[in-house]
Amino acid sequence: MAIIVKDLNKQYHYYKKQAGLAQSVKNLFHREKLVKEAVRNISFSIDEGEIVGFLGPNGAGKTTTLKMLSGILFPTGGSASVLGFTPWERKKEFKKRFAIVLGQKSQLWPDLPAYESFQLNKAIYEVDDRTFSATLDELVELLDVKELLHVQARRLSLGERMKMELIASLIHRPRILFLDEPTIGLDVISQKKIREFIRKYNERFKITVLLTSHYMKDIEELCRRTIVINEGQVMFDGDLNRIKTSFADIKRLKVQFAEEVDVERLRSFGKVTEWDGVHATIETNHQDVPAVSQQLLNRFPVLDFAVEEQPIDEAVAKLFAKGG
Amino acid sequence: MGQLVAGIRYHMKIWALFAKYSLMSQMEYRSNFLLTLAVESCFLLSKLIYAAVVYKTGIQLGGLSPDAMFLYIGVFILITAFYTGLFMNNFYRLPDYVREGTLDLLITKPVSTLFMVSTRHVDFAIPVPNMIAGGIIIAIGWRRLSIPFDFVHVAGFAGLLLCGVFLAYSLYLFPQILTFWTVRTSAVVEFADKAWDFNTMPMAIYRRWMQRIGTSLFPIFLIFNVPAMFLWNQLTWKMALWSIAAPLLFMGLVRIFWNVSIKRYSSAGG
């Protein structure tokens, strides 16, 4: 196992602060201390070479978990083993074997070409010249950024910068890669390129990847396994497609009528989510689809009819709502 | 021993890269770089005028001759230049690193986070004029006081200067580390910065109890006075040993304080 997490939890202390000057003065003398449980006793394990998606709404505890697994934060309780190391002991040997990319933070020197930052990481990770050249060549080829190596980091587009962040993180050939929102703010094409790179790199080097993202597409395309986390707790752990059957086994019937139909009559077939008189979308349970379809076709002047899966992001949103 | 040498070489190599990248980054904004050099040279001129006035009045302060005072002013300017160039900017950035979560990526690197945080940025425009001027003033004072220019004096002076720089590093890092507890540290830092100015004059001008505090509990007087006292031939063995031990002691204490404090780091936006 590359990662084993057992009953990991993290609490933050903060103070209640109400609006207004009077409250600020009051706060100067007395503060009501509150505790936020960012992560609540989560447990999971990840095999070497797996790509696992970490999915959850803002404030769910994804990034906090990632930061504990990379040794940035100390947990309040529980245990974790990453490649046999306890991350928050911050041993040098451990740090040499993983990398973390934080989508909203940069390790590049903004006023210098990214190549200089790679050179710095070469020195920090004590990578020898030959390995450095070979790794850099491979990464540059995979990401197609040869022309950008000598452009100042601050002049790069967001997508180009993220490619350089990935190179800087992988120059020491880590065994585990933590990715926190690597595609945040990127356009669709850049997102796709980053995803392709992660997939290819994982295939070629069998690196273990733990990825958080708000973009369902990242998770759908890259991760066979997804851990859904909400309010600090693991809500689901498994194949993303199973979320649909486990938590929201719903099909969507899209119907076009030859003439206007009464919405009240449609409601007896399921939940009407869209209706404009001649078009309607009805949600119903998976097992009711044959019966509902037959009745709709028999009772209404149907011109067109389609059965659709519920989009995965809606299924996940329902799961989040259930958790909340 | 071999491990220690390898460790020093490793850190020096990274520090050299930090210095190179800092210089390259600063020269990217050449107008600002040149302007800072010019402004700092003007500030320096005012310090030189002050040194000249002290010298010309011929007043003896704390039993020190104008030539000895001149030498002391040189030491003060030189150590201040080293401190501002190598560490000060890094220390001032620490509260921002903590507040904005910038420390995240630095913590994950396989090199001491304290080393990364305190040496990452080297300033060149501010200290260079001061280093040149400080060096020149020391050379003039040295010559006028007829101090022998031999290995013992040069090596002893350089060694004690280095101890002063490391003591300044340890002492002035303490208030910034409070950021892990209080987030903002400006009040304590301002107090510490004001304490720095006590050293514009040699400690001999202060009362005995102040000298005691300034050389023991909060040994800011050691930073600047000891190298000068060595050249004035006023340094006792006891004081010499303490000025070598103090940087080691306070470096150890600041490391312990750092290790305890960084456990409180809560990052940002997690």
Side-chain angles (χ1 to χ4, degrees):
Chain A
M1 284 288 171
I3 301 173
I4 303 168
V5 175
K6 202 162 183 308
D7 298 327
L8 197 63
N9 66 76
K10 176 74 184 172
Q11 295 178 343
Y12 288 111
H13 296 274
Y14 65 105
Y15 298 104
K16 200 173 181 178
K17 168 74 182 80
Q18 284 166 338
L21 178 64
Q23 289 301 324
S24 292
V25 174
K26 195 176 150 196
N27 250 20
L28 207 54
F29 301 100
H30 175 73
R31 292 180 175 184
E32 191 183 339
K33 200 173 175 181
L34 300 169
V35 177
K36 177 182 164 54
E37 288 191 276
V39 175
R40 297 185 203 182
N41 300 323
I42 62 166
S43 301
F44 59 85
S45 55
I46 296 173
D47 273 329
E48 278 200 37
E50 258 193 293
I51 303 188
V52 176
F54 226 33
L55 202 59
N58 287 333
K62 309 181 297 289
T63 306
T64 302
T65 306
L66 225 58
K67 285 179 180 175
M68 286 192 280
L69 294 181
S70 54
I72 294 170
L73 295 177
F74 277 72
T76 311
S79 66
S81 164
V82 180
L83 296 169
F85 294 92
T86 301
W88 43 91
E89 284 177 1
R90 297 176 181 160
K91 292 204 169 129
K92 192 174 175 178
E93 278 314 302
F94 167 62
K95 289 179 177 182
K96 282 187 168 186
R97 295 174 74 178
F98 83 94
I100 185 165
V101 175
L102 301 167
Q104 311 221 50
K105 284 167 191 161
S106 176
Q107 64 168 308
L108 305 173
W109 285 62
D111 297 315
L112 303 180
Y115 184 78
E116 303 287 359
S117 297
F118 305 157
Q119 284 283 351
L120 180 62
N121 277 5
K122 173 183 178 287
I124 288 174
Y125 287 94
E126 298 175 279
V127 180
D128 63 76
D129 291 344
R130 189 185 285 183
T131 312
F132 175 76
S133 300
T135 311
L136 186 60
D137 289 348
E138 264 169 356
L139 293 168
V140 165
E141 186 210 314
L142 273 171
L143 285 161
D144 190 21
V145 288
K146 198 174 178 191
E147 305 302 317
L148 302 173
L149 282 180
H150 299 285
V151 176
Q152 285 167 307
R154 68 182 159 88
R155 295 194 191 280
L156 298 172
S157 70
L158 212 54
E160 290 167 345
R161 204 210 77 202
M162 183 44 67
K163 289 178 181 177
M164 296 304 182
E165 297 285 351
L166 284 165
I167 296 178
S169 305
L170 296 169
I171 209 76
H172 62 289
R173 295 190 171 167
R175 295 305 311 141
I176 291 188
L177 178 61
F178 296 116
L179 294 168
D180 186 37
E181 311 277 2
T183 54
I184 197 160
L186 304 191
D187 60 60
V188 182
I189 296 165
S190 299
Q191 284 181 29
K192 195 169 160 49
K193 283 184 179 165
I194 298 288
R195 282 198 291 270
E196 276 171 11
F197 168 77
I198 296 167
R199 198 181 55 247
K200 278 186 193 165
Y201 192 83
N202 168 261
E203 281 167 9
R204 196 181 286 187
F205 297 100
K206 306 292 173 223
I207 189 173
T208 309
V209 180
L210 184 54
L211 162 85
T212 79
S213 180
H214 276 114
Y215 300 118
M216 194 61 66
K217 202 92 178 145
D218 289 350
I219 308 277
E220 271 184 292
E221 283 191 17
L222 287 170
C223 313
R224 278 196 194 153
R225 180 180 162 203
T226 304
I227 297 171
V228 179
I229 184 168
N230 195 14
E231 296 197 335
Q233 289 176 303
V234 173
M235 307 290 294
F236 173 85
D237 185 348
D239 186 333
L240 191 62
N241 286 311
R242 249 186 49 220
I243 288 180
K244 288 191 280 193
T245 52
S246 303
F247 296 94
D249 193 10
I250 284 171
K251 291 273 182 185
R252 195 170 276 186
L253 308 180
K254 290 209 159 193
V255 196
Q256 187 186 350
F257 303 102
E259 57 193 59
E260 194 165 320
V261 297
D262 182 10
V263 69
E264 290 306 321
R265 285 180 66 204
L266 294 176
R267 288 207 170 109
S268 60
F269 298 97
K271 187 181 172 191
V272 181
T273 54
E274 285 172 0
W275 176 77
D276 68 0
V278 290
H279 296 90
T281 303
I282 304 163
E283 282 184 2
T284 185
N285 287 331
H286 181 251
Q287 65 270 23
D288 296 337
V289 170
V292 169
S293 306
Q294 199 173 11
Q295 286 188 43
L296 276 171
L297 291 166
N298 288 341
R299 290 201 212 167
F300 297 94
V302 175
L303 268 185
D304 197 9
F305 186 88
V307 181
E308 290 179 0
E309 292 270 336
Q310 186 186 28
I312 189 81
D313 50 353
E314 287 184 20
V316 172
K318 279 183 183 161
L319 180 58
F320 291 165
K322 192 177 171 144
Chain B
M1 189 65 185
Q3 224 174 355
L4 179 71
V5 173
I8 292 170
R9 275 182 59 185
Y10 171 72
H11 286 89
M12 291 311 287
K13 187 179 172 186
I14 293 169
W15 203 356
L17 277 174
F18 285 162
K20 180 180 151 190
Y21 291 172
S22 298
L23 181 62
M24 286 165 72
S25 297
Q26 284 159 40
M27 287 194 300
E28 274 301 308
Y29 305 96
R30 55 185 178 181
S31 316
N32 186 58
F33 183 71
L34 295 172
L35 205 64
T36 310
L37 269 175
V39 169
E40 206 50 41
S41 302
C42 291
F43 275 133
L44 183 68
L45 196 67
S46 68
K47 283 179 200 163
L48 291 177
I49 292 169
Y50 148 75
V53 168
V54 169
Y55 188 77
K56 285 216 165 167
T57 49
I59 304 165
Q60 293 223 338
L61 281 170
L64 295 169
S65 69
D67 288 325
M69 279 294 296
F70 205 61
L71 183 80
Y72 178 83
I73 290 167
V75 171
F76 178 74
I77 291 175
L78 191 62
I79 292 183
T80 304
F82 275 115
Y83 171 73
T84 51
L86 297 176
F87 308 122
M88 193 182 75
N89 266 337
N90 293 294
F91 293 179
Y92 282 161
R93 284 171 196 244
L94 183 58
D96 291 337
Y97 287 168
V98 171
R99 203 172 55 244
E100 292 159 14
T102 318
L103 210 53
D104 290 359
L105 287 169
L106 300 181
I107 287 175
T108 63
K109 298 292 174 201
V111 59
S112 153
T113 309
L114 179 57
F115 171 76
M116 289 276 277
V117 163
S118 57
T119 60
R120 195 170 157 79
H121 296 279
V122 178
D123 205 313
F124 284 90
I126 294 176
V128 164
N130 288 289
M131 278 182 191
I132 295 169
I136 291 170
I137 295 173
I138 290 168
I140 295 169
W142 196 304
R143 199 183 154 88
R144 294 193 63 92
L145 289 167
S146 306
I147 300 162
F149 194 74
D150 54 20
F151 177 77
V152 174
H153 281 87
V154 173
F157 177 70
L160 292 169
L161 212 62
L162 204 64
C163 287
V165 172
F166 280 112
L167 186 58
Y169 170 95
S170 312
L171 289 178
Y172 278 80
L173 188 52
F174 264 106
Q176 297 290 6
I177 295 175
L178 284 173
T179 187
F180 289 106
W181 306 76
T182 61
V183 185
R184 287 188 191 273
T185 57
S186 53
V188 186
V189 169
E190 196 163 329
F191 172 76
D193 284 350
K194 289 279 177 274
W196 187 276
D197 294 339
F198 274 106
N199 283 295
T200 47
M201 287 288 162
M203 68 174 182
I205 67 160
Y206 298 109
R207 288 174 183 274
R208 202 93 193 126
W209 64 269
M210 274 187 80
Q211 289 185 30
R212 285 215 180 102
I213 292 172
T215 52
S216 56
L217 274 180
F218 185 44
I220 46 162
F221 288 152
L222 289 184
I223 301 170
F224 305 94
N225 285 273
V226 168
M229 285 165 78
F230 172 74
L231 293 182
W232 299 332
N233 210 14
Q234 287 184 3
L235 192 63
T236 61
W237 272 108
K238 203 171 138 191
M239 180 80 113
L241 287 175
W242 172 230
S243 58
I244 293 166
L248 297 172
L249 173 71
F250 281 90
M251 195 79 91
L253 288 175
V254 86
R255 269 187 70 93
I256 293 169
F257 188 41
W258 170 266
N259 288 334
V260 171
S261 302
I262 202 170
K263 287 185 183 169
R264 295 179 58 91
Y265 179 58
S266 58
S267 187

